[in-house]
Amino acid sequence: MSIIDKVVAAVTPPESEEARREARAKARAAASPGDWLSQALEHHVKIEAAFAAVKAASTPATRVAAQKKLALILTGHSNAEESVLYPALAGADEKGHATMAYSEQAAAKTQMALLENLAPMSQDYLDKLEHIRGAVAHHVYEEEGTWFLELREKVATGDQAKLSQRFEEEFSRYVGGEGRLHDQAAYA
Ligand SMILES: [Fe+2]
């Protein structure tokens, strides 16, 4: 087992489904329509659906297409967080949490790249997919239950709008809006 595998294995969901639901409800209560937090929560729901679609695919072609769609939204979302939200978290005296956030997403990106090398209908593929899904679920729980609430509280009200605008800009730069997500599914 590599170091990266150990890091991911070590964090695979210690929290319950109920704890995750409560964290999401708390984050939703702190979000306003269109702000960075509501955008991030919307991405998280789409990422969960994209993981489920990969697992549910019944042919190699549909599984690879679903995997590409998952990689697109996961990378676009992660890049936007890494460019906008985690720097703001570090700037709000939460460097430890920001460092953990970057490390976990680097591990997820590594595992997603390794997934591309596995036969899409094999058990090894499903095992790695579940491993990544669990690590991402834990990361999302940390964001929704703790880190993003810190960011909401510690960043001045006047700077929150700038975070929202920059987060949207970075996500769109990669994903290009809903339309391209659908196009990607169509040609993949
Ligand atoms: Fe996130």
Side-chain angles (χ1 to χ4, degrees):
M1 194 184 254
S2 71
I3 297 281
I4 293 274
D5 279 326
K6 279 183 190 153
V7 168
V8 175
V11 299
T12 298
E15 65 280 343
S16 66
E17 271 298 324
E18 193 190 349
R20 264 199 285 275
R21 268 198 303 275
E22 280 172 16
R24 179 154 298 170
K26 241 167 50 176
R28 280 205 170 116
S32 306
D35 71 353
W36 63 265
L37 183 51
S38 65
Q39 291 174 52
L41 290 169
E42 190 185 317
H43 299 168
H44 289 172
V45 170
K46 286 182 178 167
I47 288 166
E48 287 162 4
F51 269 112
V54 179
K55 190 176 178 182
S58 57
T59 67
T62 54
R63 179 158 285 166
V64 170
Q67 181 190 322
K68 284 184 179 177
K69 192 175 174 190
L70 168 65
L72 181 69
I73 188 166
L74 193 56
T75 307
H77 172 73
S78 303
N79 288 356
E81 288 180 334
E82 289 162 17
S83 300
V84 179
L85 303 186
Y86 300 165
L89 197 59
D93 281 337
E94 293 294 348
K95 284 195 179 63
H97 286 166
T99 301
M100 176 69 85
Y102 279 113
S103 310
E104 289 177 356
Q105 289 199 164
K109 284 177 173 174
T110 304
Q111 295 299 323
M112 283 294 289
L114 295 174
L115 188 68
E116 289 180 23
N117 300 327
L118 299 176
M121 304 315 282
S122 67
Q123 189 59 45
D124 280 355
Y125 181 101
L126 286 176
D127 289 348
K128 188 170 283 298
L129 181 72
E130 180 56 21
H131 193 98
I132 302 168
R133 193 198 62 75
V136 169
H138 178 66
H139 178 82
V140 161
Y141 170 72
E142 291 172 301
E143 288 182 336
E144 295 180 356
T146 308
W147 303 338
F148 285 174
L149 300 181
E150 292 169 344
L151 198 52
R152 196 90 177 105
E153 282 163 20
K154 293 186 174 184
V155 170
T157 309
D159 294 330
Q160 294 279 343
K162 188 179 168 203
L163 281 187
S164 299
Q165 184 263 321
R166 286 285 299 119
F167 187 62
E168 204 278 330
E169 186 177 55
E170 291 301 324
F171 182 72
S172 297
R173 195 192 305 285
Y174 193 84
V175 177
E178 274 308 293
R180 198 185 295 173
L181 258 185
H182 292 144
D183 290 348
Q184 177 80 8
Y187 78 69

